[in-house]
Amino acid sequence: MAAASLVATAFGIILILITAYILAAGIIGLATSVAEAQKEMTAMTIRVAGTSLEIGNYSGDNPLYLDITNTGSEKIDYTRMDVYLTADGEAPEYCGYQSSDGGRWTNNMITPDVVNPGAWDPGETLNITVTPTGGSHVHVRVVTPVGVSASKYL
């Protein structure tokens, strides 16, 4: 009888150790995932906080020419930006970068483009042409890839 009790105790201890090992592996995996997610979220928050832009001069209507200045501290990937034009009482019209479907916008030039040629660095002004499908518009909104936007009444 004493041997059966000893075997049952050893078996119970082995089951407890296996369970602890499985739980520890799961907790370590979870902690790693949470740490990576927090690291990515912090990096995104820093990019959002450092992104700022301002719409300056504009001319025309269709096409519309805009000067947008990167007033933040982060480089902006302008190829992933969105432009929305709004006419009185209508839904905003989406204009994608060099889109072949509907309204579109294109990059004319970046000035002064001396630090990283072709990249929209802080302090530089991006001149774009927006070609909407509709007629006259009264408001424009430019949205960066990180969700920061600037708008202006025309």
Side-chain angles (χ1 to χ4, degrees):
M1 260 310 168
S5 164
L6 186 60
V7 168
T9 303
F11 185 68
I13 291 173
I14 290 171
L15 284 177
I16 289 172
L17 290 174
I18 290 172
T19 303
Y21 177 76
I22 291 171
L23 287 175
I27 289 172
I28 289 172
L30 179 65
T32 303
S33 296
V34 168
E36 277 298 313
Q38 186 174 11
K39 184 175 155 184
E40 289 176 17
M41 188 63 187
T42 301
M44 177 61 84
T45 302
I46 290 170
R47 285 195 354 243
V48 168
T51 302
S52 177
L53 47 97
E54 181 180 306
I55 299 174
N57 298 330
Y58 67 93
S59 64
D61 188 44
N62 193 354
L64 172 67
Y65 301 96
L66 293 172
D67 285 335
I68 310 162
T69 303
N70 181 349
T71 57
S73 59
E74 292 285 323
K75 183 171 30 173
I76 299 173
D77 180 5
Y78 63 85
T79 63
R80 295 179 51 221
M81 286 193 331
D82 298 322
V83 176
Y84 295 91
L85 294 171
T86 308
D88 279 330
E90 294 183 20
E93 177 184 352
Y94 168 75
C95 297
Y97 179 69
Q98 296 183 344
S99 174
S100 60
D101 191 29
R104 67 186 192 105
W105 70 271
T106 55
N107 169 25
N108 295 331
M109 70 176 142
I110 299 173
T111 55
D113 197 14
V114 291
V115 178
N116 294 311
W120 192 22
D121 298 306
E124 296 179 341
T125 298
L126 176 69
N127 178 273
I128 67 171
T129 300
V130 184
T131 310
T133 57
S136 182
H137 294 87
V138 296
H139 184 261
V140 62
R141 177 173 300 274
V142 178
V143 184
T144 67
V146 295
V148 176
S149 68
S151 64
K152 184 170 193 145
Y153 283 96
L154 306 173

